[in-house]
Amino acid sequence: MKKVMITGAMGFIGSWVVKEMRRQGVDVIAVIRENASIEENHFGGGVRIICCDMKNYEMLPSLVEDRDIDVIFHFAWDGVSGERTKSSSIQTANLRATLDLIKASSEMKCGTFIGSGSLHEIESFYEMQENKPIDNLGYMYKASKLAAHWMGKALAGSLNIRFFWPVVANAYGEEETSQRLVNTVIRSVLKGESPKLSAGKQNYDFLHIADVAHAFYLIAEKGINGTNYIIGSGEAKPLREYLEVVGKIANDTMGTAIPLGFGEITSNVVYLPKSVFSISQLVEDTGFSPTITFEEGIKRTVNWIVGQG
């Protein structure tokens, strides 16, 4: 692997994958939004920046002359948190952009496409099979991820493109500014606020972003076409056990004793079996092994957030 293209290159996962590719000596074409404010040397040497909105991905073959791109990583996705997850128009646009990008991959003679799956899509797959009504519009996001996975896999296969849509159990780490769980809990405690949480009995898994980025590199290099990989630590356990570690480290850093609001959220909790979080296939096919423990990763993350003021 000598050259890759990465959409969503300024996002949390995308930016770390850019770093990992450069660490491995791989040249990168970073695709960012047209209105993004960024300097040409933002990513350092070995990275070329292309401005192209998701709605215009069909134009990439004309914007990028390269026909020696080995892998296209797709991390760009609008509406991953907050009210935008509930918008059917935003989420169907994400689906359309994914399919357009796969078609563009074929035109650019790129033989491997790697998207980024979400644990939310697995949750939707389990919960939608239950005989009960669903009124959570957040399923617009969950269902669009699942549709992009399944439809993308079929389209890529028809175009003879290697396809992967690894599900990232839960990424966390330095440089994250989103509303995802670990980041939100840390920032709440650091501000002296008790975060509202579920009882934390559902199974969860977390992996530091540096290990997540390395897993994507290994899948590109060694993954077996069409395999549904899970990217995680392989140590799934009740969410509360993880969050208690987060709360302790954040409180110890600030010298406080802010309690975590376990049990204050009772709706939209999905319980998944531990088998869902197995990384055995990833380990077997690529040799992946996490290098950063959860405790060390949380310390790094807390220190980074504190350092940002």
Side-chain angles (χ1 to χ4, degrees):
M1 182 166 55
K2 297 181 179 179
K3 183 187 293 184
V4 302
M5 176 183 284
I6 300 176
T7 72
M10 292 184 67
F12 180 48
I13 295 179
S15 63
W16 276 84
V17 173
V18 170
K19 293 178 186 177
E20 175 65 13
M21 292 299 141
R22 292 305 302 140
R23 188 176 75 87
Q24 299 289 348
V26 179
D27 290 334
V28 175
I29 300 172
V31 180
I32 66 173
R33 298 187 182 197
E34 292 176 4
N35 62 354
S37 177
I38 184 173
E39 296 181 0
E40 188 63 32
N41 65 348
H42 174 84
F43 296 105
V47 180
R48 186 179 358 142
I49 297 174
I50 297 292
C51 295
C52 183
D53 288 342
M54 294 172 64
K55 64 182 179 181
N56 298 323
Y57 278 170
E58 73 278 2
M59 297 174 57
L60 280 172
S62 61
L63 294 174
V64 180
E65 296 181 356
D66 307 58
R67 295 297 180 265
D68 58 349
I69 300 171
D70 298 300
V71 181
I72 290 181
F73 291 92
H74 179 40
F75 298 113
W77 198 277
D78 190 13
V80 298
S81 62
E83 289 300 308
R84 295 177 74 81
T85 62
K86 303 175 182 180
S87 169
S88 60
S89 60
I90 289 174
Q91 298 306 329
T92 53
N94 286 321
L95 170 58
R96 188 178 304 111
T98 301
L99 299 178
D100 286 346
L101 185 59
I102 293 173
K103 294 175 184 176
S105 302
S106 179
E107 291 184 46
M108 289 188 287
K109 311 299 181 183
C110 177
T112 300
F113 182 94
I114 302 180
S116 179
S118 167
L119 193 63
H120 288 296
E121 67 185 77
I122 296 181
E123 290 179 351
S124 71
F125 185 73
Y126 272 81
E127 190 168 23
M128 284 295 183
Q129 294 183 84
E130 297 180 14
N131 296 320
K132 66 177 185 180
I134 299 290
D135 60 3
N136 176 15
L137 283 179
Y139 273 88
M140 297 300 174
Y141 165 71
K142 298 184 180 190
S144 66
K145 275 286 187 179
L146 186 62
H149 181 173
W150 290 10
M151 294 173 71
K153 189 171 187 176
L155 178 58
S158 74
L159 297 172
N160 199 30
I161 296 174
R162 290 172 72 231
F163 180 88
F164 302 97
W165 194 267
V167 168
V168 181
N170 281 287
Y172 73 95
E174 306 93 302
E175 301 177 24
E176 182 173 21
T177 58
S178 78
Q179 298 175 10
R180 282 188 285 199
L181 185 57
V182 165
N183 193 44
T184 297
V185 171
I186 291 173
R187 291 175 184 273
S188 293
V189 172
L190 295 183
K191 289 189 295 184
E193 301 172 356
S194 177
K196 294 182 179 180
L197 303 167
S198 69
K201 296 180 180 179
Q202 67 272 42
N203 291 317
Y204 251 65
D205 190 13
F206 292 93
L207 188 66
H208 188 271
I209 188 61
D211 281 331
V212 170
H214 187 57
F216 274 104
Y217 170 78
L218 290 175
I219 290 171
E221 282 280 87
K222 302 178 181 180
I224 297 175
N225 186 18
T227 303
N228 298 314
Y229 294 113
I230 301 293
I231 296 178
S233 73
E235 298 180 356
K237 54 188 175 184
L239 175 60
R240 180 167 185 144
E241 295 183 27
Y242 278 114
L243 295 185
E244 285 175 343
V245 173
V246 175
K248 182 179 187 307
I249 292 174
N251 272 309
D252 287 350
T253 300
M254 300 302 290
T256 55
I258 305 300
L260 303 187
F262 289 114
E264 294 184 25
I265 295 177
T266 57
S267 62
N268 303 326
V269 177
V270 181
Y271 296 87
L272 298 175
K274 283 189 176 182
S275 59
V276 163
F277 300 89
S278 173
I279 64 170
S280 59
Q281 196 66 54
L282 177 65
V283 173
E284 180 180 340
D285 292 349
T286 72
F288 172 74
S289 178
T291 61
I292 301 172
T293 66
F294 186 68
E295 290 79 2
E296 175 59 27
I298 294 300
K299 289 178 182 178
R300 294 186 189 186
T301 305
V302 169
N303 290 337
W304 181 83
I305 294 175
V306 171
Q308 296 299 303

